[in-house]
Each structure stands twice: as C-alpha cells, then as structure tokens.
Amino acid sequence: MAGPTGRGNSLGAALNDLLRAQVTPRHRLSTYHAKHWHAQLSQLTGTHRGYEALESAGLDVRPDTLFKWLSDPEYNVRRSYRDLIHTAYENVAIVPAEPLPDTVKNGQFEISGKVKTGNDERERGTRRAAPLRIDGRRGDWSDIEELWLAGDLRDDDFEDRFIDDVIVADIGEGTDGWEFSGDSYAVELR
C-alpha cells in the first residue's frame, strides 16, 4: 500500500484511523481540567488566549475586581460571572476539528477486509480478490463532515454514512446492500 492507510477492527474504525492521521479531530486540551471557577479564572488569566476568551464570553469587569477575585478563591462571585468564566474556559479547552481536506473527499479509497453484497462475500485486498475501490469524488460528504466537526463521528456512524453517502453514490447499492462484517480492515487513500 502506497498512500496513507487506516486500520481498524471495523470499516468505520479504519476510516476514522485514516482520517485522524490526516487532520486534527475535535478534542479537549489535557491541561484544562479545573472544576472551580477560581482555578478556571486563574488558568485563563495566565494566557493571552484566555483573556480573549473571557472578553468573547462577555466578562466585563474592572481590573481591580478581577484582582480581588484572583486573590481570594472564596470571594463571593455572582453566578452569572461564574457562568461566563466557565464558558470562556470551555471555549479555550476545546480545540475545534480541522475540516475534511479535499484530498480525503476527492480521494480514491481501497478497502481491504471482508466485504459482502448479496451472496457475494469475500476477503478483499488479497491475491484472490482486489481491494474494493471507491471514488470519493462521487460521494456526499456533508453528513460525515458535520459529525466530524462536532466531534461525534463514531466508528459505526462513519461506516453507515460512508456506505450510504460514498460507496452507494459511487458504485450503487450492490446486489443487496453492503456489509462489512469482518474484524480487520485497512483503508488506503490514493
């Protein structure tokens, strides 16, 4: 296999593995785990990005007020301000996913593993059967990309959407739909 390759115990897992090697998924920064408003505020005010997030969330207090809050974790801060601090903290803690690149959406996919359509079931990507080749350009990637950007593209969802929106768009329904019931898949992007 010459191009980027994803591997997994299902078609969806292999597709997700391939995609994560190409672009950054939505994720939470490991250093952002504070629960208390004071710890969150302290962390936010330690960076320029944190101050920008506080401003974007709508926190508008005088510098002396901010100093009072930072110097006393027991200070009685109104609930509405604590909510703004929490919102700013979450906005900084979550890194958005990169959009799907054209190299993926317009790519040629070679799928190796157990593939079944109707009565035809075979292990693809072997000497006996070539990989299943799919032209990604023909597919509708909008649902897949929406789930990806939201951080909700689970393996089973990716597999279902890829079958319905990419495989069927390229080569049709097959004899009786497409099944990928194996336990080891490789997907190469060309």
Side-chain angles (χ1 to χ4, degrees):
M1 295 189 169
T5 303
R7 299 181 190 289
N9 61 359
S10 69
L11 175 60
L15 288 164
N16 251 325
D17 184 52
L18 174 67
L19 191 55
R20 290 174 189 282
Q22 302 300 303
V23 289
T24 303
R26 183 178 193 264
H27 64 283
R28 184 177 190 87
L29 296 171
S30 62
T31 55
Y32 284 81
H33 48 77
K35 301 289 184 221
H36 191 265
W37 70 266
H38 186 267
Q40 292 177 349
L41 182 62
S42 296
Q43 192 168 6
L44 286 170
T45 56
T47 66
H48 180 68
R49 186 169 168 233
Y51 274 107
E52 287 176 343
L54 287 167
E55 186 177 314
S56 294
L59 185 68
D60 185 24
V61 295
R62 295 190 331 241
D64 62 320
T65 302
L66 193 57
F67 180 74
K68 287 178 192 174
W69 292 357
L70 288 168
S71 59
D72 183 5
E74 300 303 318
Y75 194 89
N76 190 16
V77 175
R78 277 190 268 165
R79 177 78 182 160
S80 61
Y81 287 136
R82 290 192 314 249
D83 289 345
L84 292 174
I85 292 166
H86 178 72
T87 298
Y89 190 79
E90 289 303 308
N91 288 343
V92 171
I94 302 296
V95 177
E98 294 176 345
L100 299 182
D102 288 340
T103 55
V104 170
K105 295 189 278 190
N106 296 329
Q108 303 294 311
F109 295 83
E110 290 191 356
I111 301 169
S112 298
K114 188 190 283 186
V115 179
K116 179 179 180 185
T117 180
N119 292 329
D120 181 10
E121 180 176 36
R122 44 187 147 148
E123 194 71 29
R124 304 297 296 252
T126 66
R127 282 192 215 190
R128 305 179 119 212
L132 178 62
R133 291 184 174 92
I134 303 299
D135 185 349
R137 294 176 297 187
R138 298 174 186 254
D140 176 3
W141 290 86
S142 56
D143 288 346
I144 293 170
E145 187 158 34
E146 184 178 324
L147 290 168
W148 170 257
L149 292 172
D152 293 332
L153 189 57
R154 296 186 329 257
D155 294 347
D156 56 340
D157 292 332
F158 201 169
E159 183 171 317
D160 291 346
R161 296 273 39 104
F162 191 80
I163 292 168
D164 293 345
D165 300 342
V166 182
I167 293 176
V168 170
D170 182 32
I171 58 177
E173 287 283 344
T175 307
D176 191 21
W178 293 96
E179 291 181 40
F180 297 86
S181 57
D183 58 7
S184 178
Y185 286 89
V187 178
E188 181 184 357
L189 180 62
R190 291 183 174 258

